[in-house]
Amino acid sequence: MADLIRIAQVEELGQDPVLRRAAAPVAGAGQVLVRMRAAALNFADLLKAQGSYQEPSDPPFVPGLEGAGEVIAAPGDSGLTPGDRVAVLAPGTMAEIVAVPAAGCLPIPGAMDFAQAAGFQIAYGTGHLALDFRAALQPGETLAVLGAAGGVGLTAVEIGHAMGARVIGVARGAQRLARVREAGADEVIDSETCADLKSALRDLGGVDVVYDPVGDSAGEAAFAALRRGGRFLVIGFAGGRQPVLPLNHALVKNIAIHGFYWGGYHQLDPAALRRSMARLFALFEAGRLAPVAGHGLPLERIAEGYGLLRDRKAVGKVVISL
């Protein structure tokens, strides 16, 4: 009988994943076999389970888009050997062993632990490529980050600070805002008590770049606070509604609106992804980035992780140990 491993599985759209046992995978041609040690949850995982993600999966499926572990076996031309520590970027990482394309495995710095590496690529990759490559954020400019306490938002605060920007973090509640300040925010705004986000941002001098994974009325308010020549980064719609942005204002104020989907760069510009990740690892090794798992849960409690995302209670990344 084939060895059995534990996996999480979404068996019905609209339901949280459940724990199951399945046969261990066998690596196919060009694939690397990895013993997973940790995997991160992203908001996209929640959307996939709801059936509302732009790249849907039909149930049953194993969730997870990224993680980290140790190589068990690898093709000779992959540059990987058994025991290598790698970050994994591929669907289905919520399993004890995965078989993934060699291109989905990236060696990680020696000082980076598995929990850090598990949630590094998507959150930090999104923040850095969006802010550097798309928005061309400059030292001394003002960056407003919406949803700043979430996994993607918190890394954008940290990266914006590392790039020399003045960072305004917008998040809900004093405890979450304290974490946003720790990540490098110069100013914070409590979205729970702020009645007029547009005025609050303007009172702080206005904004050059908006990083918006929230959308909804918060995105509309932040857009209205942009200075002339500002840039608006459309990252996602965690608030539940796409913001309605007045294009006449974009025209008159020379505002650029950038739609940004990090995963799409694997086809659009993979070289830009590689340059960005190399820069991020260099920043990590220089001590300028300090990824921290906001919530660590064992695989059998993965449904709690989905609840944290759904209720917008996550501070930083939700990392599942394997």
Side-chain angles (χ1 to χ4, degrees):
M1 179 181 291
D3 291 338
L4 295 180
I5 61 169
R6 296 185 308 154
I7 66 171
Q9 185 165 273
V10 174
E11 300 187 334
E12 184 178 346
L13 294 180
Q15 301 293 322
D16 291 336
V18 294
L19 195 64
R20 293 285 183 255
R21 290 193 176 272
V26 176
Q31 287 189 317
V32 178
L33 207 61
V34 181
R35 185 175 303 281
M36 300 298 292
R37 298 301 185 186
L41 279 176
N42 290 278
F43 194 73
D45 289 299
L46 183 62
L47 296 179
K48 285 174 78 74
Q50 294 171 345
S52 55
Y53 191 57
Q54 63 258 32
E55 295 179 358
S57 297
D58 295 325
F61 64 88
V62 177
L65 299 171
E66 61 177 337
E70 298 160 330
V71 172
I72 299 172
D77 61 353
S78 68
L80 299 171
T81 58
D84 284 350
R85 301 167 66 255
V86 293
V88 174
L89 189 70
T93 55
M94 296 292 172
E96 289 180 320
I97 298 176
V98 299
V100 298
C105 296
L106 185 66
I108 58 178
M112 183 177 283
D113 64 37
F114 288 128
Q116 291 174 317
F120 191 84
Q121 291 189 82
I122 293 177
Y124 280 91
T126 297
H128 184 262
L129 202 61
L131 293 173
D132 185 37
F133 185 72
R134 294 298 286 168
L137 180 67
Q138 300 298 308
E141 288 191 315
T142 297
L143 165 68
V145 179
L146 307 185
V152 169
L154 202 60
T155 54
V157 170
E158 194 175 359
I159 291 166
H161 175 73
M163 292 176 67
R166 171 178 175 251
V167 181
I168 303 172
V170 183
R172 181 184 302 174
Q175 182 178 359
R176 294 159 68 84
L177 288 173
R179 181 68 188 91
V180 173
R181 280 197 181 276
E182 290 174 7
D186 300 279
E187 307 282 353
V188 295
I189 296 174
D190 191 340
S191 59
E192 197 167 48
T193 59
C194 178
D196 188 346
L197 179 59
K198 177 180 74 173
S199 295
L201 289 170
R202 285 182 171 178
D203 288 345
L204 291 172
V207 178
D208 297 297
V209 176
V210 171
Y211 185 91
D212 180 18
V214 176
D216 215 312
S217 59
E220 294 161 359
F223 181 88
L226 278 167
R227 298 169 178 155
R228 293 184 180 276
R231 288 87 77 199
F232 187 94
L233 291 163
V234 182
I235 305 299
F237 313 111
R241 175 176 66 82
Q242 299 175 24
V244 179
L245 305 179
L247 296 186
N248 59 322
H249 290 192
L251 186 155
V252 172
K253 296 174 69 176
N254 287 298
I255 290 171
I257 301 170
H258 296 292
F260 188 83
Y261 169 42
W262 183 79
Y265 275 81
H266 287 92
Q267 287 75 44
L268 180 63
D269 194 343
L273 280 178
R274 290 193 294 271
R275 289 193 302 270
S276 174
M277 197 55 57
R279 177 61 179 150
L280 285 167
F281 280 156
L283 287 170
F284 172 83
E285 291 181 305
R288 298 179 64 189
L289 298 178
V292 176
H295 304 269
L297 297 169
L299 184 60
E300 56 268 24
R301 293 171 59 190
I302 188 172
E304 292 180 39
Y306 274 70
L308 289 168
L309 294 179
R310 186 168 44 246
D311 299 335
R312 299 178 66 180
K313 292 182 178 179
V315 180
K317 295 290 280 192
V318 177
V319 175
I320 305 299
S321 62
L322 292 154

